[in-house]
Amino acid sequence: MKDIIVEKLIRDETKRQETTLDLIPSENIVSRDVLRALGSVFTNKYAEGYPGARYYGGNKCVDELENLCRARALELFRLSPAHWSVNVQPYSGSPANLAVCLALACPPKPAECGKIPMPKIMGMRLDMGGHLTHGQPVSATGKFWSSVLYSVDEKTGLLDYEAIRRMAKKEKPRIVVAGFTAYPRIIDFKKFRAIADEVGAYLLVDMSHFAGLVAGGAYPSPFPYADVVTTTTHKSLRGPRGAMIFARRDSKIAARNAIDIARSIDRAVFPGLQGGPHMNQVAATAVALKEALNPSFKKYARQIVRNARALAAALKKSGWRVISGGTDTHLLLVDVAARGIGGKEASDRLEAQGIIVNKNTIPYDRRPPMDPSGIRLGTPALTSRGMKEKEMAIIARLIDDVLVRNKNVKGEVTTLCKKYKVR
Ligand code: DSN
């Protein structure tokens, strides 16, 4: 590369990733083939529109590519094109969720403001494990839409479906969102469906965190219940950064509202929110989907969950409070403040030893988000490196050594990194 500054930064970042243990649950390590597609000439191409209906010439390859990506996405989640459509153009998860809000709960035009009620989004509170784009006040989904946010139960750390039902009945949201960034348990999608049906709402499941687990059969599928499913492609799914939106063609609530969800979502993505899709990203997503269709991906997905369970169990054994008592997924939340350490301090001290985690609020946290009570740990990236339960027990001990005994564990981190290479 002629740009020696960026070349050096790439080298440095490669080394950082190779020599540290990445426990951030939303990160992963993509294959060389995904990187190759991401760095391909598809980045040169503008392709506003959809296959067969673009606003630029020269679409032979991009049309074939986008159709291939869509077909693989449906195949991976065992969906029939007669019942589901998929849009693979969203730049990432936040625009994907915004597109769904725009499509299914379009705010009134200025002349209608005040005359018709603002459609409401109902999602999980960010500090309880939800996502910004599930209606948080600081996000566009909470600024341009009216929103209400549900919590988890204070004692158990689990979703309280009866409380969610009561809130839905009182608030009458247009969209009920199920999905998380920091909830370690299985979501009961059937119960969410029943709640949405009771109030005539759409059920949007944001499976960004657990899409790879669903693909691999290690987490329940939301597809039998949701009207719309969004997902990023770069977390447990192991693809490039990007997102997809799946829309149910035979949604009862859409039929009642006389809308075609698939068409509305396509129009919300383009021209509603985005211009030209990033076709190099679509190419890399197609590659990642093919990799996830390989039978070995099932083993990988199950190992991610086994590893998270092993990590949670080992930390609990050393006296750490794990929120909700464990995990059914790829992630866990540890209450470090219960042992007198702030989340920021814990994250900084672990990083100094080569263990990368992120500070995170825990439900009903009394500390501020920039220095919360918890740390969030996840296993997708370490599982991609080939680590199993035995290594999780070692890592739990290393975390304990750093945070409780203030030990230097850099040597042991290096040994693990050398044995389990990034590639
Ligand atoms: N920032 C992502 C996460 O870490 O969970 C969600 O968008």
Side-chain angles (χ1 to χ4, degrees):
M1 193 186 278
K2 285 203 185 101
D3 185 334
I4 54 170
I5 301 175
V6 172
E7 177 69 54
K8 180 180 178 308
L9 285 170
I10 293 173
R11 261 204 320 274
D12 289 352
E13 175 61 11
T14 305
K15 188 166 174 214
R16 187 196 69 79
Q17 291 185 17
E18 284 168 353
T19 55
T20 55
L21 298 171
D22 182 4
L23 282 139
I24 294 178
S26 44
E27 294 183 1
N28 210 331
I29 301 161
V30 300
S31 68
R32 278 190 203 286
D33 288 355
V34 167
L35 284 180
R36 156 92 180 89
L38 207 50
S40 71
V41 292
F42 277 117
T43 198
N44 297 337
K45 185 72 194 99
Y46 248 116
E48 282 179 347
Y50 290 100
R54 308 271 190 194
Y55 288 82
Y56 293 78
N59 300 304
K60 185 182 173 306
C61 303
V62 287
D63 276 8
E64 213 174 300
L65 174 69
E66 190 166 340
N67 282 331
L68 176 73
C69 189
R70 295 201 293 203
R72 285 182 180 170
L74 293 179
E75 187 187 347
L76 181 63
F77 294 102
R78 299 166 288 279
L79 305 173
S80 145
H83 298 296
W84 287 87
S85 80
V86 59
N87 187 308
V88 296
Q89 294 192 4
Y91 300 146
S92 203
S94 297
N97 285 342
L98 201 54
V100 177
C101 292
L102 203 59
L104 304 183
C106 197
K109 294 197 168 66
E112 298 164 335
C113 271
K115 292 183 200 145
I116 54 173
M118 189 70 179
K120 210 174 262 180
I121 316 290
M122 182 171 135
M124 193 197 275
R125 276 175 61 149
L126 185 64
D127 56 357
M128 299 281 162
H131 188 255
L132 279 168
T133 57
H134 298 175
Q136 313 302 324
V138 291
S139 145
T141 56
K143 283 187 194 294
F144 301 135
W145 281 268
S146 153
S147 70
V148 278
L149 301 165
Y150 56 84
S151 303
V152 293
D153 180 79
E154 189 163 8
K155 269 204 197 101
T156 61
L158 301 177
L159 287 169
D160 177 346
Y161 295 95
E162 198 36 50
I164 297 169
R165 179 174 168 265
R166 279 197 302 275
M167 181 181 275
K169 284 187 78 167
K170 179 167 173 254
E171 302 287 348
K172 308 230 174 329
R174 177 80 58 88
I175 302 177
V176 172
V177 189
F180 58 76
T181 64
Y183 182 70
R185 295 299 187 175
I186 282 171
I187 295 178
D188 191 333
F189 297 120
K190 194 175 177 185
K191 283 192 180 147
F192 266 109
R193 176 75 266 165
I195 292 166
D197 281 344
E198 217 176 319
V199 298
Y202 292 102
L203 176 59
L204 161 62
V205 176
D206 178 350
M207 65 167 185
S208 294
H209 262 265
F210 50 91
L213 307 185
V214 173
Y219 195 87
S221 171
F223 288 100
Y225 305 104
D227 298 291
V228 179
V229 175
T230 53
T231 184
T232 48
T233 43
H234 50 273
K235 297 187 175 92
S236 52
L237 202 49
R238 257 194 112 178
R241 303 192 87 86
M244 304 188 283
I245 307 175
F246 297 85
R248 180 186 284 283
R249 292 192 193 279
D250 54 358
S251 153
K252 287 197 187 91
I253 164 84
R256 207 174 311 140
N257 294 337
I259 80 152
D260 174 342
I261 306 188
R263 190 178 140 73
S264 300
I265 284 175
D266 283 351
R267 288 193 59 76
V269 172
F270 172 82
L273 281 172
Q274 298 187 173
H278 298 170
M279 294 312 295
N280 57 324
Q281 205 178 19
V282 174
T285 300
V287 171
L289 291 168
K290 182 152 195 288
E291 290 172 355
L293 277 160
N294 190 302
S296 64
F297 196 85
K298 282 196 169 54
K299 234 171 123 187
Y300 167 68
R302 292 196 182 119
Q303 190 62 50
I304 290 178
V305 177
R306 276 198 209 110
N307 283 354
R309 286 203 169 117
L311 189 59
L315 285 166
K316 270 176 80 177
K317 213 167 152 198
S318 315
W320 294 94
R321 178 177 171 248
V322 175
I323 303 302
S324 86
T327 181
D328 304 321
T329 64
H330 61 302
L331 70 81
L332 49 138
L333 268 179
V334 183
D335 178 0
V336 284
R339 292 179 77 171
I341 309 165
K344 182 179 181 328
E345 182 194 338
S347 159
D348 289 349
R349 279 170 57 195
L350 288 167
E351 178 161 357
Q353 298 293 322
I355 301 173
I356 312 298
V357 306
N358 70 277
K359 55 179 181 273
N360 215 96
T361 51
I362 59 170
Y364 301 92
D365 211 327
R366 288 193 183 85
R367 298 172 64 107
M370 285 310 279
D371 187 14
S373 297
I375 52 173
R376 187 181 66 153
L377 311 176
T379 53
L382 297 183
T383 310
S384 295
R385 290 174 84 151
M387 293 189 199
K388 297 217 164 108
E389 290 92 326
K390 195 169 132 232
E391 288 70 41
M392 297 305 118
I394 296 172
I395 291 168
R397 202 248 307 140
L398 296 181
I399 291 173
D400 203 51
D401 277 348
V402 174
L403 297 183
V404 178
R405 288 174 284 285
N406 220 1
K407 269 174 82 173
N408 185 328
V409 300
K410 278 187 195 153
E412 284 185 88
V413 168
T414 304
T415 305
L416 274 175
C417 290
K418 280 195 177 144
K419 187 162 175 205
Y420 298 95
K421 297 198 185 320
V422 165
R423 32 187 121 258

